[in-house]
Each structure stands twice: as structure tokens, then as C-alpha cells.
Amino acid sequence: LERKESYTLKSNPMVVIPSNRWGITWGQLDGLGAQVSACFTKGRENPNVYDVVKEVIRPQCQGLHVSYSILLNPAGRTCDTFLSHAWSESYLQFVIDLRDKCPDFQERVFWGCFAVLPQTWPPENLKLLLGVTPHQSPFSKAIDNCEEFLVVRNANKNMFWRLWCVAELGFASEKKRRVQVVGNMPPNTPTCGAELIAGAECSDIEDTSILA
């Protein structure tokens, strides 16, 4: 991949390669964990996914205009497991949960938004990539092609306060995907029903209006 100051959407690998081939392997997620451990020191040893995207993923992808997964797999990798999770989680705990709770983790190719979406794109181009409706989004199309839907909970925040997580679970239910749950929720979090998703929203107000 060549670093460029500008790019055209039509020829960009993120458009040319189907979204179900934006996968990232376990070894690559684990390798990112090793980079995180080396990068975050002196009281910052447990960064969340927001921190990892900002300080590890974006610098490596800057100027290439692709996602971290396509940076590592320029021809793409077909995913078989969709990861639904909240970025407020500890990245290192996220990796531990995958390793400890998925017996065949080393054989899987994952689809997780932080790694498979182009995190350096300007918002207007990212919105074009995400599509006009939720069912046209790469999220929905990836779930179409994944055998398993993996919910990775975290102890920092109820992931179902994130509207995209609620939508993803809805897609998985519609498509009758096998759902597996790993990780722990914060103490006293409701386990089901309307209380679990009460107040769910997106960081982008336009996404909230589309999904709500």
C-alpha cells in the first residue's frame, strides 16, 4: 500500500473489497495487543479501544486511507465471526476475553469495527461508506456472511447504551445468527429487557436519528 495525501473513493480498497472480507485474524488482534503493551506505559497500561485507535491504529494507517485490517491484509480476509463491543472496554481485557472464552479463537477471522473501518477517513466519506440505512451498512452486510455473532461485554460500561451495539444484535437476530456472549458487565447492570438499552445513543447525532 502506498501513502498518498488524497484518494478517490471509487478506487479505494475499502470500496473495492467487499465488507465481509475486511476481516482480521486472532494473531493480528493479539499482535496489536503486544503493540499496545509496548506503547502504553507509566500509569497508562490499560488503555481502552478509543486510546488504541487514536495512538496505535491511526498513526499506522495515516496516508494509506484504509482500515487496520486492510493494512495487514491488502487482499482482504473473509470473516466468520462478528464482534459486537463497546470502545470503552480495556483493549487488553478484550483480547483476554476472546482468548479465554472462544475455544477455537486461533482459527477465527473477526469483524470488529475499530479494526475494519478506516479510522483516518473524514466523517463525510465514512458516512458514504456506512450507507444510507442501517441495513445497507457494512455492519449488516458483514453479519450476513458471518457464522457467529460474538458479544464481548466489558466491566467499564453497559455496551447496550451504544445504539450501534443494539442495532447489531437486532441484525443478528433477524438473520438468525448463532450468538455467543463473553466478558462481564458492570455491577448492577440489568440483564435483559427495556432497562438494558434505556438511553442508548450514538456519539454521532445523525447515526442516532437513523438507528433510533
Side-chain angles (χ1 to χ4, degrees), residues 85-167:
H85 64 109
W87 287 26
S88 55
E89 69 203 344
S90 156
Y91 181 78
L92 297 178
Q93 184 61 50
F94 168 78
V95 171
I96 289 170
D97 286 337
L98 293 182
R99 182 194 67 201
D100 291 351
K101 303 299 183 180
C102 299
D104 58 346
F105 65 90
Q106 291 180 320
E107 301 170 10
R108 299 195 189 197
V109 180
F110 299 94
W111 202 100
C113 60
F114 74 95
V116 308
L117 294 179
Q119 302 298 341
T120 61
W121 279 25
E124 60 272 19
N125 286 355
L126 191 56
K127 288 183 184 300
L128 290 174
L129 186 68
L130 293 180
V132 177
T133 70
H135 284 87
Q136 293 176 327
S137 70
F139 297 82
S140 180
K141 292 176 181 178
I143 294 170
D144 277 338
N145 291 275
C146 283
E147 299 170 5
E148 185 155 311
F149 182 90
L150 185 60
V151 177
V152 187
R153 303 181 300 186
N154 74 91
N156 294 336
K157 186 173 183 177
N158 174 6
M159 61 180 287
F160 294 110
W161 287 349
R162 305 300 301 161
L163 201 50
W164 270 111
C165 292
V166 177

Side-chain angles (χ1 to χ4, degrees), residues 12-13 23 32 41 50 61 75 83 94 99 102 113 118 123 141 167 198 202-203 206:
N12 187 279
L32 178 58
T41 59
Y50 289 104
C61 296
L83 296 172
F94 168 78
R99 182 194 67 201
C102 299
C113 60
K141 292 176 181 178
C202 298
S203 54
E206 290 186 25

